[in-house]
Each structure stands twice: as C-alpha cells, then as structure tokens.
Amino acid sequence: MTSTRIGLATCSALPRLDSDDRPLLDALTERGAVAEAVVWDDPDVDWSVYDLVVVRSTWDYSPRRDEFLAWADRVPRLENPADVLRWNTDKGYLRTLEDAGVPVIPTIWLDPDRHLSKRAVHTRMPAFGDFVVKPVVSAGAQDAGRYQPVSAQSRALAIKHATDLLDAGRAVMIQPYVTSVDTAGETGLVFVDGELRHAVRKHALLTGPAQPSDGQFATERMSPATATADQVDAAEKALAVARENVGGERPFLYARVDLVTGDDGTPMVIELELTEPSLWMQHSGTAATLDAFAAAILARA
C-alpha cells in the first residue's frame, strides 16, 4: 500500500520549516504519511507527486505575490487553495468584512493609480491619535510604521512612507493605532478545520516609523491567551464571510483571526490569516491541536 505523500510548502530561508511547523512532519509521519518540507519556488520540484500540498512557512511571498499566486495555480492539490490565497494576500479583504458587518479597524485606502500628491496624502492622515501606515500587500509587519500626528517630524515621515510605497506601485492603508495593543496586545484565534483550537496573545511590535527590512519578520513575543465569547463571535463572523466569498462549503483547513480591542471594548479584526499564518502550536497547551491538524490534512489528501 502506498503511503499518502504530503508536502509542507516553505521558503528558501526556512528549508526545514519554521520551528512552529516542524513538529507537523512527525505528527504526519506517526499517522503513516510521508511528509516533506518543500521550498515553494524550487524549480526542480514536481508538485504532482504529492497527494496534498499544505502552505506553511512561505514567508517570502509578499514582494513576489504574482509569482506566488501563479505557483499556487499550478499546484494540483493545495490547501488553503489558490482562490483563497488570492483573496487573502491583499488586505482589501477587510473592506469585504466591513461591508458584511464584521467589526474591523477603520481604514483609509490609498491607490497608487490615483497619483496622489504629497499634500493629498497629508490631508488623508488622521489629525488626532497615533496611526499606522502599511502596504496593502505585506506580511509580518514588514514596511509598517507607527506615527504621531502632533509631531511635525513624525507626520513628515509618515507622508514620506506612504508616498514611497505609492511611488513603488503599492497600495497603502492608514489605520488608527489601537491603544489597547500596548497593554493587552493582539489576540489571535487559531482554527483547524473550522474548529477553534486555542488563542494566543501577541505583544506590540510597532513603536515608531517603518524600518528597512531584510525580508525577515520582526521577532514576535507571544503567550497563551483565553478568547472571550465576543472575540470568538467576531472571528467566526469573519470566517463565515470569507467562506461566502472564496471558501465554498468546506471549512478552511487552517485559519488565524487576529483581533484588537476598541476603546468601547468591541473586538475588531485586524487581520484574517488564511495564507501562511503561524499557528503557535507551542502555545496551545496540548498536543491535541497538532494531532488534529495532522488528521485534518490527511482527511483532505
């Protein structure tokens, strides 16, 4: 009997997967599968040999989104599938969530095709409260910066940040900085095959203007968390809207919904991660989540 063969897609900087994903190889092997870490842009890989390819540590995709999506279209059996990745790798999906009534952080969107002047960019930035400037296609807080409108220097840096991104042909989003992130952090709810498995807390990353990136993500400080009923409700609403748009009838194989708390206590979606999220298995408090992930993968193979 031929064993089920699973490819876990990663990037060349992490050829053996991120440390959080690595235990999945053993979990799949223990269930009788042949599991391998495979670099997504390796031209020598024959993706047809895998019964299923699962997107995991492909963390270098954002500067090469078109190439990444073309690869996803070529892989015969992929989870999450290419149409999900196409929808989710552009944070414009937040508009779809907002239109459907899901609470999200209010966002100002700047389109490079409009060729906005510096003055026009300036007028679109908040007059009060810290705010964040970041590209619509990005990952891991890369090319994101936090600014203060009361400081002329900080505001000038924000304008330069936004115009540099626009000049490079990258759409920009501007959001108020949610102050609860400094105290409570972000809460990430991890779902496997549609079921909430655990929650994690991510502590604040953005403290100032955007810094040059070497392509690697900033180190995140994580800890286990317990999701509230309101957070679970917001996350499940976001996933339901996503499924209506690209998910079909079956739950997503994996998902992470990142939430922050507004000034009125309302959980708001800051990101819906369906592409290559860290699932922070080491913070789940049990091996059952890893086992459930392995079982869900093999059920789809």
Side-chain angles (χ1 to χ4, degrees):
M1 180 176 178
T2 303
S3 297
T4 301
R5 193 170 180 183
I6 305 295
L8 301 181
T10 186
C11 61
S12 58
L14 296 166
R16 296 181 55 245
L17 299 168
D18 174 66
S19 59
D20 188 62
D21 286 323
R22 220 165 286 145
L24 187 56
L25 292 168
D26 290 337
L28 289 164
T29 300
E30 289 169 3
R31 286 178 166 268
V34 175
E36 302 169 329
V38 197
V39 175
W40 73 270
D41 58 350
D42 183 343
D44 296 327
V45 174
D46 179 3
W47 297 100
S48 67
V49 303
Y50 296 102
D51 297 288
L52 190 68
V53 175
V54 181
V55 180
R56 293 311 310 133
S57 312
T58 58
W59 290 353
D60 59 353
Y61 82 84
S62 58
R64 307 154 61 196
R65 178 173 177 259
D66 290 346
E67 182 183 348
F68 178 68
L69 294 178
W71 163 79
D73 284 331
R74 292 195 304 270
V75 177
R77 303 273 320 269
L78 187 70
E79 293 284 349
N80 284 326
D83 59 341
V84 175
L85 304 186
R86 182 169 284 101
W87 185 80
N88 187 238
T89 51
D90 183 321
K91 290 184 178 64
Y93 67 75
L94 290 170
R95 294 181 178 182
T96 304
L97 298 184
E98 185 177 29
D99 290 345
V102 177
V104 302
I105 296 180
T107 304
I108 298 167
W109 306 88
L110 305 182
D111 186 342
D113 291 339
R114 295 190 62 185
H115 304 291
L116 297 171
S117 66
K118 287 186 178 181
R119 179 173 179 78
V121 171
H122 175 272
T123 61
R124 285 162 171 77
M125 291 187 173
F128 304 99
D130 288 11
F131 60 93
V132 174
V133 175
K134 57 185 177 183
V136 171
V137 176
S138 67
Q142 290 183 336
D143 299 318
R146 174 180 173 181
Y147 302 95
Q148 298 80 39
V150 295
S151 164
Q153 180 183 19
S154 183
R155 196 172 184 87
L157 288 172
I159 294 168
K160 184 178 188 307
H161 181 184
T163 54
D164 284 350
L165 290 171
L166 291 168
D167 288 345
R170 302 176 72 182
V172 173
M173 52 200 300
I174 303 172
Q175 298 175 321
Y177 185 81
V178 180
T179 56
S180 65
V181 173
D182 289 333
T183 54
E186 299 177 18
T187 302
L189 277 61
V190 174
F191 292 79
V192 173
D193 207 21
E195 180 181 350
L196 176 64
R197 300 300 309 190
H198 63 276
V200 294
R201 178 157 292 115
K202 180 167 66 174
H203 302 274
L205 273 177
L206 295 180
T207 58
Q211 300 298 317
S213 171
D214 60 0
Q216 298 299 309
F217 291 168
T219 301
E220 297 177 321
R221 292 190 300 118
M222 310 297 299
S223 58
T226 300
T228 68
D230 286 344
Q231 288 174 329
V232 174
D233 182 61
E236 289 180 340
K237 285 179 178 176
L239 288 172
V241 172
R243 284 182 60 191
E244 288 173 4
N245 281 269
V246 290
E249 297 182 1
R250 203 171 191 179
F252 300 110
L253 174 60
Y254 54 83
R256 197 187 76 215
V257 186
D258 293 343
L259 303 160
V260 295
T261 303
D263 292 340
D264 62 354
T266 300
M268 298 184 294
V269 175
I270 187 168
E271 285 194 349
L272 169 57
E273 295 273 11
L274 302 173
T275 302
E276 31 62 84
S278 293
L279 301 179
W280 301 111
M281 293 294 183
Q282 69 267 38
H283 294 299
S284 66
T286 172
T289 298
L290 182 64
D291 193 56
F293 194 20
I297 289 171
L298 293 177
R300 299 187 183 213

